[in-house]
């Protein structure tokens, strides 16, 4: 169920919400980020296989880990233009923040393409929330913003992320390389078109305050 409404921010991206029967994606206000700090301090990932590309503050020792993570979100929230934007959402399940789900657009008005990034607290993994939060952010991308295509990628041994992409209808879209903890590793790339998403579209996901956010992102009204 949707959480009680918070006071509206003067900055529209912080007011955007996505609600499913199991969780909510809420614009990453400082209040919500502070509630996630204990999870980040405890450690989002503590053993291989390492899921994140370099550089990644979540690999640092505490307290630099928390500082770097907060600074990264703050910088990203302020770097918004028609050529690049990143929407940060705190994932709330059972009334508690349990992770983050980001939606990233590069030259979105020209190409209509988005990518996603996410992480979950180790305490709640394995229960289907990763799939649910990806479905939620895809609904925002395609239904709310009118995206044409979504991409995702993960290291080959990040089986959980790759399973989510496959289960939601993404198709393989090549491979690339990146480093993690300073070592090279192969990445599997995935692609989901709007037409593929429509065949799996859900009717139980609610979007809030998306229209007011569009001018900030430099895009026109979304198509249905």
């Amino acid at each position: 169920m949707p959480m009680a409404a918070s006071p509206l921010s003067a900055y529209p991206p912080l007011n955007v919400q996505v609600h499913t029967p199991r969780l909510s994606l809420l614009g990453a206000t400082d209040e919500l980020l502070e509630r996630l700090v204990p999870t980040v301090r405890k450690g989002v990932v503590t053993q291989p296989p390492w899921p994140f590309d370099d550089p990644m503050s979540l690999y640092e020792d505490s307290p630099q880990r928390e500082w770097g993570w907060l600074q990264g979100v703050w910088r990203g929230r302020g770097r918004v233009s028609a050529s690049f934007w990143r929407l940060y959402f705190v994932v709330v399940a059972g009334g508690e923040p349990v992770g983050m789900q980001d939606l990233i657009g590069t030259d979105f008005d020209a190409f209509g393409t988005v990518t996603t990034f996410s992480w979950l607290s180790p305490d709640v993994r394995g229960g289907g929330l990763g799939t649910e939060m990806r479905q939620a952010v895809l609904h925002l991308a395609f239904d709310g913003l009118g995206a044409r295509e979504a991409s995702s990628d993960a290291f080959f041994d990040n089986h959980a992320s790759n399973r989510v992409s496959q289960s939601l209808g993404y198709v393989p879209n090549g491979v690339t390389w990146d480093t993690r903890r300073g070592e090279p590793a192969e990445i599997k790339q995935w692609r989901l078109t709007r037409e593929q998403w429509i065949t799996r579209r859900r009717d139980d996901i609610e979007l809030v305050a998306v229209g007011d956010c569009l001018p900030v992102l430099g895009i026109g009204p979304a198509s249905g």
Side-chain angles (χ1 to χ4, degrees), residues 77-223:
R77 289 189 317 194
R79 183 192 170 194
V80 173
S81 68
S83 61
F84 179 86
W85 45 259
R86 181 167 184 160
L87 299 179
Y88 295 84
F89 296 98
V90 173
V91 182
V92 176
E96 295 297 325
V98 295
M100 291 200 71
Q101 174 71 69
D102 303 352
L103 184 67
I104 305 152
T106 302
D107 293 325
F108 181 85
D109 198 37
F111 304 118
T113 57
V114 294
T115 58
T116 57
F117 172 82
S118 65
W119 59 263
L120 267 175
S121 167
D123 296 337
V124 297
R125 291 176 190 159
L129 290 181
T131 301
E132 187 86 354
M133 57 202 263
R134 183 88 69 86
Q135 287 176 311
V137 83
L138 287 174
H139 197 88
L140 170 63
F142 287 115
D143 189 62
L145 305 183
R148 298 186 184 97
E149 181 180 304
S151 65
S152 182
D153 58 53
F155 289 111
F156 266 68
D157 55 8
N158 188 345
H159 302 302
S161 178
N162 287 314
R163 279 196 298 265
V164 168
S165 296
Q166 188 172 29
S167 71
L168 294 181
Y170 289 74
V171 296
N173 193 36
V175 299
T176 188
W177 289 82
D178 211 318
T179 59
R180 53 181 177 180
R181 309 299 295 267
E183 296 295 329
E186 204 168 12
I187 287 179
K188 190 169 188 176
Q189 298 176 308
W190 298 89
R191 174 174 180 259
L192 180 71
T193 66
R194 182 178 185 85
E195 291 72 25
Q196 291 163 333
W197 171 78
I198 285 174
T199 66
R200 299 165 180 259
R201 176 177 180 159
R202 290 173 51 172
D203 60 5
D204 60 350
I205 297 178
E206 176 191 2
L207 302 178
V208 176
V210 175
D212 291 340
C213 186
L214 297 179
V216 182
L217 306 182
I219 59 179
S223 59

